Each structure stands twice: as structure tokens, then as C-alpha cells.
């Protein structure tokens, strides 16, 4: 977060009035020496970036999303020659998000994460959606009561 312009001007005016050096001014106001030096040149905060947002070709990424709609970010990163994190940021800028589905177009197994459980996952291809929904709901209910769901609760026996 940047310092407000009023604070910057106060620092510079105290520096001029008392004849302080840049190092003394920075120490007195507990700011960096580079900040004071930059404020002397231009006290107004910079509001825009002078550098492009990314090296990812957004048109190529959009084309890749159309051709491979359920590809993983690591695969996209390898195809486009960039980092996985960069792909994630670019997809977020394009407002593209994914939800795990029972049957994806590529035939991959996707997993559903139960709320509040990091390591417990259910393979969606092996469980019907109605049983899966029962398991999720019963698990959530039983988490609040402190008990474990029984197999008879899930199967309806």
C-alpha cells in the first residue's frame, strides 16, 4: 500500500525546513531511503504499471481453452511455455473457472472434495450422484453432531 500524498509532502517539507539528509529523513519517519529519494523526484504516487500484465498470449490461451476445455493448468502451461501460476492468473483475468464434474469430456476422473476434509475424496465415476449427495449431506450433518454416518444411512436400508 502506498503512503498518502499528504504524508509524502509532510516528509519532504520537514526535510527542507530542518536541512536533513535523505538517510536522516528516512530514519526519522521510519520509511525506506529509496522511498524518500523517489518522493523527491515525484511526490505523486504512481497509479499505473508501465509493464505489460503478462507474457501469456491471451488469444492463444483462449484458443487453448476452446480446444481443450477440461485440461489442467500444468498442461496449458507446458503447451504455452509459461508457468502454472501465470496460467491461473490469466484464467482469472478472463473470468474462466472450473468445477469438477461427474463426467468430463476427456473421460478423466475428477474428484469432489468434502467440506472441511482435506484428504477425503470420493471418485465420482464410481459412485452414483444420488448416493454421493447422500454421503455429502450425511457427512456434514454428522460433523455437527460429532458422530459418524452408518452404511445403512447412506444406502437407505
Amino acid at each position: 500500500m502506498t503512503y498518502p500524498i499528504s504524508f509524502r509532502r509532510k516528509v519532504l517539507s520537514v526535510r527542507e525546513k530542518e536541512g536533513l539528509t535523505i538517510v536522516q529523513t528516512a530514519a526519522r519517519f521510519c520509511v525506506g531511503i529509496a522511498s524518500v529519494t523517489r518522493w523527491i523526484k515525484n511526490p505523486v504516487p504512481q497509479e499505473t504499471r508501465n509493464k505489460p500484465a503478462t507474457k501469456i498470449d491471451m488469444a492463444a490461451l483462449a484458443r487453448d481453452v476452446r480446444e481443450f476445455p477440461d485440461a489442467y493448468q500444468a498442461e496449458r502451461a507446458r503447451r504455452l511455455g509459461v508457468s502454472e501460476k501465470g496460467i491461473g492468473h490469466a484464467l482469472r483475468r478472463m473470468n474462466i473457472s472450473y468445477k469438477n464434474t461427474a463426467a468430463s469430456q476427456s473421460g478423466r476422473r475428477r474428484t469432489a472434495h468434502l467440506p472441511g476434509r482435506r484428504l477425503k475424496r470420493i471418485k465420482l465415476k464410481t459412485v452414483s450422484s444420488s448416493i454421493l449427495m447422500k454421503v455429502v449431506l450425511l457427512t456434514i450433518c454428522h460433523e455437527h453432531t460429532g458422530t459418524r454416518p452408518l452404511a445403512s444411512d447412506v444406502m437407505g436400508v
Side-chain angles (χ1 to χ4, degrees):
M1 194 160 124
T2 62
Y3 290 102
I5 192 156
S6 58
F7 176 73
R8 294 174 182 215
R9 288 193 174 131
K10 178 181 178 183
V11 169
L12 295 177
S13 68
V14 168
R15 178 181 178 267
E16 286 179 20
K17 286 179 187 174
E18 297 182 13
L20 301 173
T21 65
I22 293 175
V23 175
Q24 291 170 335
T25 307
R28 179 170 175 179
F29 289 98
C30 298
V31 296
I33 297 169
S35 296
V36 176
T37 305
R38 192 171 46 251
W39 297 345
I40 290 171
K41 294 178 184 175
N42 184 13
V44 180
Q46 185 177 0
E47 296 178 358
T48 60
R49 288 176 59 164
N50 293 331
K51 133 183 184 181
T54 179
K55 72 176 190 177
I56 298 174
D57 182 10
M58 299 305 267
L61 179 60
R63 191 171 41 255
D64 189 69
V65 169
R66 275 193 307 277
E67 291 174 8
F68 306 100
D70 55 346
Y72 293 108
Q73 289 182 8
E75 295 169 348
R76 291 190 202 287
R78 269 185 256 120
R79 279 194 292 271
L80 298 174
V82 295
S83 69
E84 291 178 40
K85 198 168 198 172
I87 292 290
H89 290 301
L91 290 172
R92 194 173 308 125
R93 276 193 303 275
M94 294 172 70
N95 292 324
I96 296 174
S97 64
Y98 291 96
K99 290 189 177 183
N100 292 336
T101 59
S104 63
Q105 291 179 357
S106 69
R108 292 184 176 163
R109 288 184 173 210
R110 297 291 180 115
T111 58
H113 301 275
L114 295 175
R117 308 268 178 144
R118 286 177 85 186
L119 299 177
K120 292 203 173 190
R121 296 178 181 178
I122 298 173
K123 300 287 183 187
L124 292 176
K125 281 199 165 186
T126 61
V127 180
S128 72
S129 61
S130 61
I131 292 176
L132 175 64
M133 186 57 84
K134 285 181 183 179
V135 170
V136 170
L137 292 175
L138 287 172
T139 304
I140 292 170
C141 292
H142 288 285
E143 279 182 0
H144 291 293
T145 61
T147 60
R148 294 177 56 141
L150 303 172
S152 60
D153 293 339
V154 176
M155 297 305 194
V157 179

